Amino acid sequence: SKLAASQGDELANQAVDVGGLKVLAAVLEGADVPTLRDTMDKLKDKLKSAVVVLGSAEGADKVTVIAGVTADLIAKVKAGEIVAAVAAQVGGKGGGRPDMAQGGGTQPAQLDAA
């Protein structure tokens, strides 16, 4: 939770405009699933209208990816589709609701590129 709070402001400033949507994609080294979710929620609150994709690698063979989409953008972008696409690039799969989704993979070396 402290990691999420301390990195939230710094990460929010890294959001970029992609086709008129605010998009933030980041890797949080050593973050577990609750930390990724907490950070995603804080970033969605801070950015107000955005797509947030966070990833973390654990060891040599585990990747966790989480995506969040603010309510105003769900008609355009689905978190489950984003996670499925990113997880596929790290040797895994994932899915979930339009506003929040989670996935994983087995190729941490591919996380930055994904």
Side-chain angles (χ1 to χ4, degrees), residues 101-113:
Q102 182 178 324
T106 57
Q107 300 168 358
Q110 303 302 319
L111 184 57
D112 285 333

Side-chain angles (χ1 to χ4, degrees), residues 52-114:
V52 179
V53 182
L54 301 175
S56 179
E58 205 177 305
D61 62 353
K62 185 175 180 195
V63 177
T64 301
V65 178
I66 193 164
V69 177
T70 54
D72 62 316
L73 299 179
I74 291 174
K76 297 178 184 177
V77 183
K78 306 279 188 269
E81 294 171 6
I82 294 169
V83 163
V86 174
Q89 295 177 56
V90 292
K93 58 185 178 180
R97 302 185 317 262
D99 65 325
M100 200 285 286
Q102 182 178 324
T106 57
Q107 300 168 358
Q110 303 302 319
L111 184 57
D112 285 333

Side-chain angles (χ1 to χ4, degrees), residues 15-85:
V16 296
D17 185 283
V18 176
L21 304 177
K22 217 182 286 185
V23 177
L24 174 62
V27 175
L28 301 181
E29 294 299 329
D32 59 11
V33 171
T35 300
L36 288 174
R37 285 187 182 177
D38 194 31
T39 304
M40 183 199 54
D41 288 340
K42 284 180 172 39
L43 288 166
K44 282 172 46 179
D45 288 344
K46 185 162 189 63
L47 295 169
K48 306 291 184 227
S49 177
V51 176
V52 179
V53 182
L54 301 175
S56 179
E58 205 177 305
D61 62 353
K62 185 175 180 195
V63 177
T64 301
V65 178
I66 193 164
V69 177
T70 54
D72 62 316
L73 299 179
I74 291 174
K76 297 178 184 177
V77 183
K78 306 279 188 269
E81 294 171 6
I82 294 169
V83 163

